[in-house]
Amino acid sequence: ATPAAAATPAEETAATPAAAAAPAEAPKAAAAPTTSALQGAALMAAVKKQVEYYLCDANICHDQFFHKKISENPDGWLNLELVVQCKKIQALGVQKVSTIVEALVGSHLETKTDDSASYVRRTTPLPTLVDRAQAKMEKKKATAHDGGVMMKIANVPEGMVWTTIRDALKEKVADKYAGSAKNPVLFVSSVNDDRECFFCMDVFEGDVAYYQEL
């Protein structure tokens, strides 16, 4: 029988919250290879990339656990004992805090070691914590209009067909879509028995107000 594919380790930061997925412009979380997959400089690079991801703006603004720990420290230091417990760090075969400190040499993150522990901190202000569910809702709200503007043409004169209305509307709004190769009319219905015709128009800045006053 063909063996099943290995399950991908779950995303996380420490023992509690899950790490946020990074957007395209943010650093990506390091992959979690087997313990023996990376050694030497390659291991150091992977550890550095993973820790920098944990503390980057795109992740830390959604990471309640690390955000809280950093906020609690007056100088913004995070105990690396918390980082070394992360599953992705352990999956790299890292068991000692000293390995993380070594990996972060040359990083934009700062580290320090005292008699009791080693720490890491950001060099830029901590971003505001954002609730993940709320952020998704706001994103959905912001992009819901991207599908187009729905509008209704009422009181269509007897005998007028939808193609006549479409052509007149395209001419009317042509200046709003100047320079665009796209057809501004995304959808148009036939004229119904109530002498109504429905359109879905491509978006532009201020389109809703414009069509309301049309």
Side-chain angles (χ1 to χ4, degrees), residues 149 151 169 173 177 201 204 207-214:
V149 179
M151 59 183 296
L169 184 59
V173 302
Y177 299 94
M201 305 296 293
F204 62 84
D207 49 11
V208 175
Y210 174 83
Y211 283 120
Q212 287 175 339
E213 297 174 1
L214 190 63

Side-chain angles (χ1 to χ4, degrees), residues 16-206:
T16 47
E25 65 275 12
K28 295 183 179 179
T34 59
T35 301
S36 60
L38 297 176
Q39 296 179 357
L43 174 61
M44 294 295 101
V47 173
K48 175 176 175 288
K49 183 176 181 180
Q50 187 63 51
V51 177
E52 288 179 344
Y53 168 74
Y54 285 151
L55 273 71
C56 75
D57 285 354
N59 182 69
I60 202 69
C61 70
H62 297 293
D63 191 322
Q64 295 183 9
F65 182 76
F66 276 169
H67 197 286
K68 180 175 183 291
K69 292 298 182 182
I70 294 172
S71 299
E72 289 173 348
N73 187 287
D75 297 318
W77 292 105
L78 176 68
N79 193 323
L80 281 173
E81 286 290 348
L82 299 174
V83 178
V84 82
Q85 295 172 27
C86 294
K87 291 181 180 179
K88 282 186 177 264
I89 295 297
Q90 293 182 349
L92 291 169
V94 176
Q95 302 296 328
K96 297 180 179 180
V97 165
S98 58
T99 304
I100 301 178
V101 174
E102 181 182 353
L104 292 177
V105 172
S107 170
H108 63 273
L109 300 175
E110 295 180 346
T111 59
K112 75 170 184 177
T113 300
D114 57 26
D115 294 336
S116 60
S118 293
Y119 306 85
V120 62
R121 74 174 177 185
R122 294 162 48 95
T123 55
T124 56
L126 193 65
T128 302
L129 186 64
V130 178
D131 180 78
R132 191 187 307 274
Q134 182 65 28
K136 288 183 178 180
M137 184 177 297
E138 290 297 325
K139 182 177 181 182
K140 182 177 180 180
K141 180 179 178 181
T143 58
H145 170 227
D146 291 350
V149 179
M150 291 298 300
M151 59 183 296
K152 178 179 73 173
I153 306 295
N155 302 317
V156 176
E158 287 287 345
M160 183 175 288
V161 296
W162 66 268
T163 54
T164 303
I165 305 172
R166 179 202 60 193
D167 294 343
L169 184 59
K170 286 176 67 175
E171 182 178 353
K172 179 73 174 178
V173 302
D175 61 315
K176 299 297 182 180
Y177 299 94
S180 174
K182 295 194 298 182
N183 185 346
V185 181
L186 303 178
F187 167 80
V188 57
S189 73
S190 59
V191 179
N192 62 27
D193 293 340
D194 294 324
R195 309 312 301 165
E196 297 171 335
C197 186
F198 295 87
F199 283 79
C200 181
M201 305 296 293
D202 198 11
V203 299
F204 62 84
E205 187 68 27

